[in-house]
Each structure stands twice: as C-alpha cells, then as structure tokens.
Amino acid sequence: MYTPLYTALLDLYNKNQLSFHMPGHSGEKGMEGFSLLCEIDTTEVPESDNLFFADGPIAEAERAAAEFFGAKKTRLLVGGSSSGVLAMVGAAVREGEKIICDRFCHRSFVSALVFSGAVPVWITPESLEGGALWGGIAPADVERALRENPDAKAVYITSPNYFGYASDVSAIAEIAHKYGAALLVDGAHGAHFGLSPLLPPAPWKCGADLCTVSAHKTLPALTQAAWLHINMDFPRLEAMLKMHQSSSPSYILMASLDYARAKMEEEGERLWSGLAENSLAVFPEQGNVPGKYVKYKDPTRLVLPTGGNPFKAAERLRKEHGISVECSYGKGVVCITNISHTAEDLRRLKAALCTAENSPSPVPGFTTEMHYAAMAPRRAFYADIEEVELSEAAGRVCAREVLLYPPGVPRVLPGEVVTEADIAAISALISAGGEVHGVENGRICCVLM
C-alpha cells in the first residue's frame, strides 16, 4: 500500500534514534503494554513532517487522500469532525453574519456559533415516524431562507445525518451558489460514501465547498481521526485549523488516516459492496428511502425498531446477547456497521432483536418545534449564568445546550427560551433512561436575569 506518512514513521522508528523530544513515553520503553502504538508515535522532526506546515509525508498523505476521494484539497484532522466543523464555520462566516443552518446539527456546530459569533437562521429537516426520526433537508426550504436572508454567507447542513439519511446535496449546492453562499457539510457519518455504487454519493463530490468526515466512525481509523475535504479556498481556513487543533497533533491518529485511505484505495469498493449486499440481504428494509426529502439512504447504517423502551432494549441486547449498539432513538436502536462485520454478525443481530424488548413504553423522539431566540448563542454562552431547576425553567433563556447523547443533537440551544414542551420531553427522556447532557442533578444553566 502507498502510505507515505505511516511508512515515514516506521522508517523513523527503525532508525532507533536516541530521542530528546516529545512524546514523554520515549517509544515502547515508557508505556508497558502500549509498545505497538508507541513505536511510531513521535513529534515534528524532519522525517515526520509538521501538520501545520506540511511539505513531507504529511503533505503526501493529504495529497493522496484528496486525489483518491476526489476533493480539491484534503486536510488531516486529529480532533475529529468537531474540529473540522469549528474550522469551516469560522472560515466562512464572521461575527454578526448569518448562516442558514440545519436544526438537526451536532453539538460541535453550536460550539462553532459560539466561537464565530455567527447568527443562525434555522431550517428544519423533515420529521419521520411521528417524530422518532429526522430526515432530509428540503432544497426549497434552503432557497426560501436564502431569499429571505440574501446577506447570508453560508449554508450548513448535516448529510448524512445520524440515521444514514442524506439530503439532495447537489440541489442544495446549486441553490446556495446561486445566492452567493458557500455550502458547508457535516458529513461526519459519511466518510465511506462514494466507495461503492451501492452507497450514496460523497457530498464533497456533489457541490459541497467544505465537508468534514469522521474516518473513525466507519473506516479503519483510530478515534478522533477525520478529514476535511476542501473544494473552495477560504483565506481564514488554514489559520482556523491551527486554532482548533492541538499544536502537538497525534502522529498515531494521522498514520491511521493514511492507512485507512490506502486500505480503501486498494479494497474499498469490494469491501463496502460486500457489506452493503449483506446488510440488504439480512435487513432489506434498510434500502428504502424514507420521507420526501431524503435523497439517499445508507444501507449499512441500520435503523432498527425494537418496540417498547429503546434504552431498555439496548441494555438487554448488551447484557443478554453481548451486542452493543450505537444509540437508541424514539422507537428502536441505531447500529453502525463496518467492513469487519460479516453476514453472520448481521444475522446474530437480527435474531437478538426478536427478543430485545416487547413492553410498550413510548419515548420522545428528536423532533422539536422552532424556539424563540432571545439572544445569539455567543452572547448567551458568555453571559452570567445561574442554575435553575428544570421544572422551573420555562420562560428562561438557556445558557448551555441541552441534548440527548448520542447523537448529540440539541433540544435547546444557548440563547433560546425554554418551553414547557422542552421540560416535558427532557424529563421523559431522563425517566426512560436516556443520557441528557446539559441537565445535572435536575438543574440546567440559564442566563442570569
């Protein structure tokens, strides 16, 4: 395999140099049991290159990734797609400028609003299964928002979303560019898109100007390893990448990205076609495109109704069947498959689902009405705050996002007014066993009045 960075690190290790530089473990000598990782972990020396001033093996790894995946440029990310979201929003939108954005966003986008000071103009994806799932973004809604906000600098969407539902990125890109807005895509869950004819097309090949993808979610790469695919130049982008990533980036993570790209280049189409075929054979319904605005469904992202309380169903799968799922949603569980899963693994999952949970126990979905924003997210975040009992928070301005995790999609954002419906939904999720971030000991952070 052609792995310029990974090979450079192995070569450096084989030199057996006496190192007086970071990292502190000095190779396999300093961390018992971690020798295989420590062997290639290093810092910025001539042989290993520098992520932020790359002109050696890192630059070669980035060029190889861009060429293979089909982007103008690609940057390695060691802070996950979250660091890519922060960088691309900060590069495209200044403080006080508007950004048309997808309400079904990851919490990293809320952080990007706080850091950048951008003003969100929300659009809501289609609600599916009575609010249990969220689907695609309607291109007409994007155009309406841009027509009403012609000064918006960018459009931000999540495609695919957590459930493997992809919007019509090509149509949205055409609309955004018609109004002079950049299209930014959180494609964290679609690093594998485009690798097989059985998978949806890659958003960075459908007109996205910037698209961040989490290699670690679906490809053979280590946790936090991600790419940012770049198709349009933004003067602040490289500076933003330096700002939102560590000045001591992990060479292990970067090497895993180099490896993942090479593996996909050599075997990606065969492996992903095989997985998609197996997934559709065992779970044929996963090939169905739901709703009106979902352009593509990823057949390898399994959205599986369980009946009853989905959190209890996930617990039973783990304890009684030895199967851990990605997350629960309103009516079931979400499972992320990858190229290591066999047809037998999928059949085992299906058999276990038949006994997962049967008692009726409704759980609120992710759907939420649009909220009144009393102030911008950045202002609310930096305001003086006080903790308020959740039961008494109606009418108060939220200071920190409140969200079910996973998938990390906010129910209430900083600056928005908490409603009685929010309190009821959040309380029901907690009672059902969901993990709600932003509520601690029954209290949430609100702006001090």
Side-chain angles (χ1 to χ4, degrees), residues 198-199 271-287 297-304 317 321-326 333-355:
L198 299 180
L199 297 175
L271 293 171
W272 280 99
S273 292
L275 176 62
E277 289 169 356
N278 289 336
S279 298
L280 291 171
V282 179
F283 298 100
E285 73 281 0
Q286 298 302 314
K297 166 67 172 70
D298 177 4
T300 71
R301 178 62 55 96
L302 307 180
V303 183
L304 305 170
L317 284 168
H321 299 277
I323 295 175
S324 293
V325 301
E326 170 65 17
V333 295
V334 176
C335 296
I336 299 178
T337 65
N338 60 58
I339 54 175
S340 69
H341 290 117
T342 65
E344 178 56 35
D345 292 333
L346 297 172
R347 287 191 289 267
R348 177 184 166 193
L349 171 62
K350 187 169 187 177
L353 283 168
C354 295
T355 60

Side-chain angles (χ1 to χ4, degrees), residues 25 56 74 133 241 331 429:
H25 53 67
T74 295
L133 301 171
L241 287 169
K331 294 186 178 181
L429 283 168

Side-chain angles (χ1 to χ4, degrees), residues 22-91:
M22 298 185 291
H25 53 67
S26 296
E28 76 276 13
K29 297 186 290 293
M31 293 180 67
E32 183 178 351
F34 284 82
S35 60
L36 292 177
L37 293 178
C38 294
E39 286 174 0
I40 62 169
D41 192 23
T42 186
T43 191
E44 294 87 351
V45 294
E47 295 93 336
S48 64
D49 205 1
N50 185 313
L51 177 61
F52 300 125
F53 303 95
D55 61 0
I58 291 177
E60 286 299 316
E62 291 180 328
R63 279 194 288 269
E67 182 177 351
F68 172 65
F69 288 109
K72 181 179 176 182
K73 292 187 289 188
T74 295
R75 293 290 177 261
L76 307 184
L77 301 176
V78 294
S81 280
S82 294
S83 62
V85 169
L86 291 165
M88 65 185 188
V89 172

Side-chain angles (χ1 to χ4, degrees), residues 144-392:
R144 185 180 306 109
L146 285 167
R147 190 166 55 245
E148 294 173 356
N149 300 272
D151 53 342
K153 300 299 182 182
V155 174
Y156 175 95
I157 65 171
T158 306
S159 186
N161 66 18
Y162 204 74
F163 308 112
Y165 301 152
S167 298
D168 191 341
V169 177
S170 294
I172 293 172
E174 184 176 352
I175 292 167
H177 296 155
K178 181 174 73 173
Y179 286 84
L183 177 60
L184 318 181
V185 178
D186 175 359
H189 290 270
H192 58 301
F193 276 23
L195 293 178
S196 162
L198 299 180
L199 297 175
W204 57 92
K205 289 186 176 182
C206 294
D209 299 302
L210 295 173
C211 181
T212 184
V213 296
S214 294
H216 70 91
K217 285 182 168 62
T218 56
L219 301 183
L222 296 176
T223 298
Q224 289 186 210
W227 288 294
L228 177 63
H229 296 307
I230 304 165
N231 288 318
M232 186 170 78
D233 291 329
F234 293 83
R236 295 191 301 276
L237 182 59
E238 298 296 338
M240 284 290 169
L241 287 169
K242 294 181 179 72
M243 184 180 297
H244 292 297
Q245 297 198 92
S246 171
S247 59
S248 299
S250 167
Y251 277 82
I252 293 174
L253 296 186
M254 292 189 288
S256 79
L257 284 169
D258 199 26
Y259 176 87
R261 185 270 313 155
K263 179 77 170 178
M264 292 303 98
E265 192 165 353
E266 290 195 352
E267 301 184 84
E269 181 172 350
R270 177 183 65 83
L271 293 171
W272 280 99
S273 292
L275 176 62
E277 289 169 356
N278 289 336
S279 298
L280 291 171
V282 179
F283 298 100
E285 73 281 0
Q286 298 302 314
N288 298 334
V289 178
K292 187 177 179 181
Y293 301 114
V294 175
K295 180 69 172 177
Y296 303 98
K297 166 67 172 70
D298 177 4
T300 71
R301 178 62 55 96
L302 307 180
V303 183
L304 305 170
T306 59
N309 183 314
F311 301 107
K312 291 182 178 179
E315 183 179 13
R316 188 168 178 178
L317 284 168
R318 185 177 66 257
K319 290 184 175 180
E320 297 184 11
H321 299 277
I323 295 175
S324 293
V325 301
E326 170 65 17
C327 80
S328 299
Y329 72 98
K331 294 186 178 181
V333 295
V334 176
C335 296
I336 299 178
T337 65
N338 60 58
I339 54 175
S340 69
H341 290 117
T342 65
E344 178 56 35
D345 292 333
L346 297 172
R347 287 191 289 267
R348 177 184 166 193
L349 171 62
K350 187 169 187 177
L353 283 168
C354 295
T355 60
E357 174 72 15
N358 294 310
S359 61
S361 179
V363 173
F366 297 115
T367 299
T368 179
E369 72 282 358
M370 297 301 289
H371 286 65
Y372 170 69
M375 60 183 69
R378 179 180 175 88
R379 180 184 168 198
F381 183 87
Y382 286 107
D384 292 331
I385 64 171
E386 63 177 337
E387 291 188 348
V388 177
E389 292 291 334
L390 176 63
S391 59
E392 301 174 2

